[in-house]
Amino acid sequence: MRTQTTSPTAPPLRTKGRRDRTVTLAAVLLAVFVVPMSISGTAVALPGIGADTHAGLAPLQWVVNAFNVAFACFTLVWGSVADIVGRARAFAAGAGVYAVASLGGALATDVLWLDATRALAGTGGAAIFSCGAAIVATVFDGPGRAKAFALFGTVAGVGVAAGPSLAGALVQGLGWRWMFAAHAVALLLVLLAVPATARAVPDDGGSGARVDVPGSALFVVAMVLLTTAIVQGSQWGWAAPGVLGLFAGAVVVLAVFAAVENRREHPMLDLGLLRDRRFVGLCLVPVAASFGFVTMLTYLPTYLTAATGRDSGAAGLIMLLLTAPVLVCPLLAAKLVARGVPALTLVHVSLACLVVGDLTLTLFSPGVTILVVALPMLVTGAGMGLCAGLVDGQALELIDPARAGMAAGFLNTLRLGSEAIAVAVYGSVLATVLRTRVEDGIGGYAGAARADRVADRAAGGDVAGATELAGAVDTDGFARFLAQSYDHAFHSVLCAMAAVCAVLCAVIATLLRDGSARNAAA
């Protein structure tokens, strides 16, 4: 007599598989929520961190830049490692690193300690994004994958949107340390889902190949040299031998990296990926968003406190106008694509929104009402939101699933690497322009010998501290002078960022058009 075992056991197995996939997606989304929330929230907390630690501009910039640089350096590394050792293991390792680093940030006693913990958190965040995207691409397929990536982009948008408000509330109510403590608690919850993630990812034993240590080391060194040169440009002078040496070193190391990768049997980055113009064009879309959106996300809160005199809580609420579209637009884009709107059309619309939004944000001034700048902020946010998630899904569809980790790592390396560079360029140029204004006008209020230190403190958003440092007799008049100088520097750099974004949009449009033509011909 034959017993029937298949039928009774199949439904529970299918149910368990669905449950594991659901838990996995929830864990990935929670981790993805924390990373952008950390980036945008830290920007709001910078004035409070600076006042509490008495940090100058350079170390204060590295609170943001250390995270972004580490993220940029290690995203490609983690993507390659995930394909080798398994995506679930790599994702869990990144979440653990992020949790420990966030706890260390909450306990930091000075700004250098905080910078170090933020760099460590960026290393963990790199694993979360690259491995998380690869896990989603592996666990889901068809319409389920499209919906999962739409949620991926939406939740990242929620993190961006909630970051300034949550951070503003925490900084004003409990202090900036609680912001990092909250990140640690969230990542501990993610770690509880690791067993389900390991079961949900099929064939996640890894390829068994060796980690590309030489390539990884060269890439990390190149990114550190490049970003350090940009950050220190405003401190040492853009033509200083040290800055030029750092730029030259970055170029040389990148050339050596390319030569090494061409000879590796299992390279960290298969340069063959770059032959697909459409893939490269899609990967450059987040770069345009870095210059057009992320710079505003990072420095607009400081402008609101330094130039307009608002507190951190009010600045966080105003930032919702910039971040709210990032919450809504990813799912809207997914629905439009499902109804037949070409994905590339939405990509082009998002790029246009970034350029137009940045140009119209020049309407900001110390006395302007929020109603005047609400529409430009919403348009800029829509430029980011329409391409979030959509670009990831479209790019990874072009790549062999066996190289999904590497491709996701490359995409997110460009995303966070460009964010690190854009934020560093913005901060350095802002400091340079502001220093020139302060040096020209400080003589009427205080000794010109203090101009550098005063400008650095003001560029960090601490106008009151800069006024005190200057020792000005007319403190109210000098504070107004600093606010006006910051406003001038803000507008100058904003126009430059819009121009960079416009050039990138033209390059992306050309690559996508050429790539589509080649695919059609093939």
Side-chain angles (χ1 to χ4, degrees):
M1 179 176 179
R2 184 171 59 185
T3 59
Q4 297 181 351
T5 58
T6 303
S7 179
T9 58
L13 287 174
R14 287 196 297 268
T15 301
K16 186 175 181 180
R18 287 196 299 269
R19 184 168 62 247
D20 287 341
R21 288 195 298 272
T22 301
V23 172
T24 296
L25 182 61
V28 170
L29 294 181
L30 176 58
V32 166
F33 170 77
V34 171
V35 174
M37 183 183 70
S38 171
I39 297 172
S40 62
T42 303
V44 174
L46 284 182
I49 294 171
D52 190 23
T53 61
H54 306 290
L57 176 63
L60 194 62
Q61 275 186 306
W62 278 102
V63 176
V64 174
N65 289 335
F67 182 95
N68 289 342
V69 171
F71 198 123
C73 290
F74 288 96
T75 300
L76 188 56
V77 176
W78 276 111
S80 178
V81 169
D83 289 337
I84 295 172
V85 305
R87 291 155 196 173
R89 292 176 185 174
F91 178 81
V97 168
Y98 202 110
V100 171
S102 297
L103 182 60
L107 300 175
T109 56
D110 59 61
V111 71
L112 296 181
W113 180 353
L114 182 59
D115 288 343
T117 61
R118 291 296 292 161
L120 186 61
T123 305
I128 287 171
F129 255 74
S130 61
C131 302
I135 287 172
V136 171
T138 304
V139 172
F140 299 93
D141 56 15
R145 176 187 289 183
K147 184 177 180 181
F149 269 114
L151 288 172
F152 191 97
T154 299
V155 169
V158 173
V160 171
S165 300
L166 291 177
L170 286 171
V171 169
Q172 203 159 359
L174 299 174
W176 56 267
R177 299 178 187 277
W178 284 93
M179 178 181 65
F180 298 116
H183 300 161
V185 172
L187 267 298
L188 289 175
L189 295 177
V190 171
L191 290 173
L192 296 177
V194 168
T197 303
R199 291 191 299 266
V201 181
D203 301 325
D204 196 37
S207 65
R210 293 182 179 180
V211 177
D212 181 11
V213 176
S216 301
L218 287 168
F219 185 79
V220 169
V221 170
M223 290 300 300
V224 170
L225 290 174
L226 178 61
T227 312
T228 303
I230 294 171
V231 172
Q232 295 303 127
S234 65
Q235 305 295 315
W236 301 343
W238 293 99
V243 173
L244 296 178
L246 288 170
F247 278 123
V251 172
V252 171
V253 175
L254 282 175
V256 175
F257 167 76
V260 169
E261 295 303 276
N262 275 326
R263 292 177 173 83
R264 299 285 295 181
E265 183 179 357
H266 300 288
M268 180 183 71
L269 174 61
D270 183 355
L271 299 180
L273 288 175
L274 307 184
R275 297 191 185 100
D276 189 332
R277 293 192 175 191
R278 190 177 180 189
F279 175 73
V280 174
L282 289 169
C283 289
L284 286 177
V285 173
V287 178
S290 295
F291 284 92
F293 175 83
V294 176
T295 51
M296 289 296 95
L297 182 69
T298 304
Y299 286 104
L300 186 56
T302 304
Y303 173 83
L304 292 171
T305 56
T308 71
R310 293 177 171 87
D311 58 31
S312 297
L317 290 175
I318 293 171
M319 289 297 291
L320 284 175
L321 291 169
L322 186 69
T323 56
V326 186
L327 168 63
V328 177
C329 289
L331 281 178
L332 174 62
K335 290 182 179 180
L336 291 174
V337 170
R339 294 181 180 180
V341 177
L344 293 185
T345 298
L346 293 178
V347 170
H348 291 311
V349 170
S350 72
L351 295 173
C353 286
L354 289 172
V355 176
V356 172
D358 279 359
L359 289 175
T360 51
L361 280 175
T362 54
L363 293 171
F364 258 115
S365 67
V368 73
T369 63
I370 296 303
L371 291 178
V372 173
V373 293
L375 183 58
M377 293 179 73
L378 291 170
V379 170
T380 305
M384 177 68 176
L386 287 173
C387 63
L390 178 66
V391 167
D392 297 70
Q394 291 292 312
L396 292 181
E397 279 185 4
L398 302 173
I399 303 302
D400 180 3
R403 297 190 295 173
M406 181 187 296
F410 178 74
L411 172 62
N412 284 294
T413 294
L414 288 187
R415 173 181 280 127
L416 265 294
S418 63
E419 288 184 8
I421 291 172
V423 169
V425 167
Y426 189 106
S428 295
V429 176
L430 177 74
T432 300
V433 176
L434 183 58
R435 182 176 293 114
T436 301
R437 293 271 298 187
V438 172
E439 288 175 349
D440 291 342
I442 196 173
Y445 299 94
R450 298 181 177 180
D452 286 354
R453 289 181 293 162
V454 170
D456 286 349
R457 185 69 66 86
D462 187 7
V463 172
T467 302
E468 182 180 354
L469 180 62
V473 176
D474 181 6
T475 56
D476 291 339
F478 187 69
R480 287 194 299 271
F481 164 71
L482 286 180
Q484 293 168 357
S485 298
Y486 195 104
D487 180 65
H488 170 79
F490 172 81
H491 283 82
S492 299
V493 181
L494 183 58
C495 291
M497 292 298 104
V500 172
C501 190
V503 172
L504 283 170
C505 291
V507 172
I508 292 167
T510 301
L511 288 172
L512 293 179
R513 182 175 62 250
D514 291 348
S516 298
R518 289 192 176 197
N519 290 339

